[in-house]
Amino acid sequence: MTLDAIDKKLLVLLQTDSKKTTKELSLKLNLSVTAVYERIKKLEREGIIKNYVALVDKSKIEKGFVVFCHLKLIQHTKEFLTKFESEVIKLNEVLECHHVSGDYDYILKVLVKDMEAYREFLVTKLTTLQHIGSTQSTFMISEVKNSTVIF
């Protein structure tokens, strides 16, 4: 699907505030409510809009300690990769897991309460997963930019 300028503007509006009504969106886009509704439904059908979510302030729920954990597996066989990925998906503390190139195989974004909670997570959960060769943790000092808006 090719996105036109109106689709892109609609996506920006929805990514900024997905609770806006089709009427509010129609006023901003100078389109009818029906036209906006049809565009949204088409974006959803095409899989461009995957989900609607509530973004939570992590510091207000005691998850403000952000760690980027770099992992190396002991081997790079499909079996080891698949097993690791299926296990790491189950860890609630892991918000993101990216298979990457370079010195490490994966980068995890981990949210916990504090350093003590991270140590507990590392010792009792993460390092108990099979096939992990080594880890390196980097701790976030401050968040300069965190956006969910594309375009």
Side-chain angles (χ1 to χ4, degrees):
M1 175 180 172
T2 304
L3 300 175
D4 64 17
I6 294 171
D7 289 329
K8 290 178 183 178
K9 189 171 181 183
L10 175 57
L11 285 170
V12 168
L13 292 169
L14 287 171
Q15 289 175 94
T16 305
D17 182 1
S18 66
K19 291 187 79 170
K20 286 204 183 302
T21 65
T22 49
K23 183 176 183 175
E24 290 171 309
L25 295 167
S26 72
L27 293 171
K28 291 193 179 281
L29 297 169
N30 293 323
L31 293 175
S32 70
V33 171
T34 303
V36 169
Y37 176 82
E38 290 301 323
R39 281 180 182 263
I40 291 170
K41 288 300 165 196
K42 184 177 181 184
L43 292 166
E44 290 171 347
R45 269 192 318 275
E46 294 292 325
I48 293 170
I49 295 177
K50 293 176 17 175
N51 227 341
Y52 295 92
V53 300
L55 300 176
V56 177
D57 184 335
K58 56 190 168 291
S59 65
K60 294 190 178 184
I61 59 163
E62 295 189 333
K63 299 285 184 186
F65 194 75
V66 180
V67 184
F68 297 96
C69 183
H70 300 72
L71 292 169
K72 247 185 226 188
L73 299 184
I74 55 175
Q75 286 186 15
H76 299 99
T77 64
K78 184 177 180 180
E79 176 192 345
F80 281 22
L81 296 174
T82 304
K83 179 73 171 153
F84 170 76
E85 290 174 4
S86 69
E87 290 176 349
V88 80
I89 285 169
K90 298 173 190 171
L91 300 176
N92 292 332
E93 295 87 348
V94 177
L95 231 59
E96 298 175 24
C97 175
H98 303 275
H99 189 184
V100 297
S101 65
D103 291 338
Y104 292 92
D105 299 314
Y106 290 92
I107 298 176
L108 310 180
K109 182 177 181 181
V110 179
L111 265 62
V112 290
K113 180 180 179 181
D114 53 22
M115 180 65 83
E116 185 178 324
Y118 181 65
R119 182 186 186 286
E120 181 70 17
F121 165 75
L122 198 61
V123 171
T124 64
K125 292 185 179 181
L126 189 62
T127 56
T128 64
L129 299 183
Q130 295 180 351
H131 315 306
I132 293 179
S134 65
T135 65
Q136 178 183 330
S137 302
T138 304
F139 306 100
M140 181 181 78
I141 295 171
S142 70
E143 192 169 77
V144 177
K145 180 179 180 180
N146 181 351
S147 178
T148 59
V149 179
I150 301 171
F151 293 116

